[in-house]
Amino acid sequence: MTLGLEKLVDVLKTTGETTRFRLLVLLSAGDLTVSDMTDILGQSQPRISRHLKLLSEEGLIERYQEGAWAFFRLSHEGEAAAVVRQLLGAVDLSDPVLVRDGERLSDVKRERAARAQAYFSRNAAEWDELRRLHVSDEQVEKALAHLIGDAQIDSLLDLGTGTGWVLQQLHAHYRRAVGIDASRDMLTVARANLDRAGILKASVRHGDIFNLPAEAGDFDLVTVHQVLHFLDQPEKAVTEAARVLRSDGRLLIVDLAPHTLDYLREDHAHVRLGFSHQTVQEWLEKAGLVVEDILDLKPVATKGTPALTVTIWLARARSGAEPAASSNTYDILKSEAAQ
């Protein structure tokens, strides 16, 4: 891609300021709020906001609203975005300033992860009951069975398995299954539920959704049920899920449609307030998958109970295609700099 002289000079002027370039490096590692960036860079909110405004005006970053929170992310489309990717590829991440930024970014992410983990641990025994506040299990179960079809699944991987709900509901469809979760409390509950149901062909284990304890091409169906909205970088989880799919395997994602119930952030550790069709479809396609179906399940509203729409995305790996590599520019550059 090429830019006209005037536009290229404008892009270089905008990126050629130290704070703004540091912001671009941070956003290459995932979406952040203004508050996140002020904490990392140690600068005032008005100053950070001014820099973000300039970057946004040049089309280098995008802003999107989720309830009361505004998130920012790198732009991935257009000639200007291509120039930014080239500039990020030339940066030395061993620079002391960027090393310090990276450490503070890790602190922000650890704090978010700790909040979610603490929430899971506190509510492990009653997680299924909490989920019923905003999801109809019966509707989801019926929709999953319809989308999966009657063909026997050789191997199923359920990411963020929680109480093992998916493993229980789909037990008639698979020959073997594994559930992965980062919460040992959740795994204890899941094991008890599987034992109680007499399901012996499924097991659960501790693992990181961003670094799965599985080889590429191990599974012909991967499910991610009501997990992505707890993650700081859900697109990375989608890419990792695609990695472990067999050729022609399927990825099935169940999550909330966009909503404005801000209290779910503080009370239930939700990082994202749902996802649009387009957002998840873009992640799936970037991971090398073909979207086959998108289904919205709209519950009947009842007094005093939130009525949130649940969306299901079904995508398939292309036959003979290699899974897409991670798009986390910050991590990739850091790895290369260490070599």
Side-chain angles (χ1 to χ4, degrees):
M1 292 185 178
T2 58
L3 287 176
L5 178 61
E6 185 175 346
K7 178 63 175 178
L8 179 59
V9 170
D10 287 342
V11 169
L12 293 176
K13 283 181 179 178
T14 302
T15 58
E17 194 277 335
T18 301
T19 296
R20 288 196 286 274
F21 196 81
R22 289 168 69 189
L23 289 171
L24 290 173
V25 174
L26 288 171
L27 290 172
S28 73
D31 303 359
L32 297 170
T33 66
V34 174
S35 178
D36 292 334
M37 289 179 274
T38 57
D39 289 344
I40 293 168
L41 270 61
Q43 299 183 19
S44 69
Q45 183 166 330
R47 182 175 181 181
I48 294 296
S49 294
R50 283 197 298 274
H51 286 307
L52 292 171
K53 184 174 184 291
L54 291 171
L55 291 169
S56 180
E57 288 173 348
E58 285 300 326
L60 308 182
I61 64 172
E62 299 171 357
R63 180 186 185 278
Y64 64 96
Q65 197 79 23
E66 286 189 1
W69 289 20
F71 282 85
F72 292 84
R73 62 186 172 198
L74 282 185
S75 295
H76 295 290
E77 303 296 331
E79 290 82 358
V83 171
V84 169
R85 286 195 297 271
Q86 289 183 306
L87 293 173
L88 290 170
V91 71
D92 178 7
L93 289 181
S94 66
D95 181 277
V97 173
L98 296 181
V99 168
R100 194 161 53 249
D101 288 350
E103 290 170 349
R104 291 171 179 166
L105 174 62
S106 296
D107 289 340
V108 167
K109 291 184 176 181
R110 275 195 296 270
E111 182 179 347
R112 289 180 178 176
R115 285 185 61 241
Q117 189 67 39
Y119 169 73
F120 286 142
S121 297
R122 287 194 309 270
N123 297 286
E126 49 190 293
W127 178 240
D128 284 335
E129 186 62 35
L130 288 171
R131 192 178 60 227
R132 292 190 187 98
L133 294 175
H134 48 78
V135 172
S136 166
D137 284 351
E138 293 75 15
Q139 280 183 283
V140 173
E141 180 185 354
K142 184 177 180 181
L144 293 184
H146 171 72
L147 290 171
I148 291 171
D150 297 328
Q152 185 75 1
I153 298 163
D154 181 59
S155 55
L156 165 69
L157 177 64
D158 183 36
L159 302 184
T161 196
T163 61
W165 184 83
V166 169
L167 300 177
Q168 296 171 73
Q169 302 307 317
L170 299 184
H171 75 276
H173 295 265
Y174 58 77
R175 185 182 66 81
R176 67 179 180 95
V178 178
I180 300 291
D181 206 286
S183 168
R184 298 189 188 279
D185 291 319
M186 283 290 195
L187 293 175
T188 298
V189 175
R191 290 188 181 100
N193 286 339
L194 292 172
D195 288 343
R196 190 178 302 113
I199 299 174
L200 303 178
K201 56 185 178 179
S203 61
V204 295
R205 61 184 294 190
H206 187 263
D208 180 359
I209 197 170
F210 298 116
N211 185 23
L212 295 173
E215 298 296 326
D218 269 0
F219 298 91
D220 54 8
L221 177 64
V222 177
T223 55
V224 190
H225 179 257
Q226 295 293 7
V227 174
L228 295 185
H229 59 255
F230 289 106
L231 304 181
D232 184 56
Q233 292 179 278
E235 68 277 14
K236 286 188 65 178
V238 171
T239 299
E240 179 68 351
R243 180 185 69 81
V244 300
L245 277 177
R246 292 174 178 168
S247 176
D248 208 36
R250 293 177 293 174
L251 174 57
L252 198 153
I253 295 173
V254 183
D255 218 292
L256 299 176
H259 63 87
T260 58
L261 298 183
D262 245 352
Y263 80 89
L264 292 178
R265 292 191 193 278
E266 296 302 320
D267 293 353
H268 295 286
H270 287 206
V271 175
R272 302 297 187 92
L273 298 184
F275 304 97
S276 67
H277 288 189
Q278 180 181 358
T279 294
V280 177
Q281 183 166 347
E282 287 175 356
W283 294 342
L284 291 166
E285 292 174 348
K286 192 171 184 179
L289 307 181
V290 177
V291 177
E292 293 190 336
D293 209 340
I294 301 177
L295 179 63
D296 283 327
L297 303 178
K298 299 182 179 181
V300 177
T302 58
K303 188 175 182 180
T305 301
L308 301 182
T309 296
V310 170
T311 303
I312 303 177
W313 293 263
L314 179 66
R316 187 182 295 271
R318 297 183 179 92
S319 297
E322 292 293 328
S326 169
S327 60
N328 189 328
T329 306
Y330 194 97
D331 288 349
I332 292 172
L333 294 175
K334 190 171 183 179
S335 175
E336 292 175 350
Q339 295 178 359

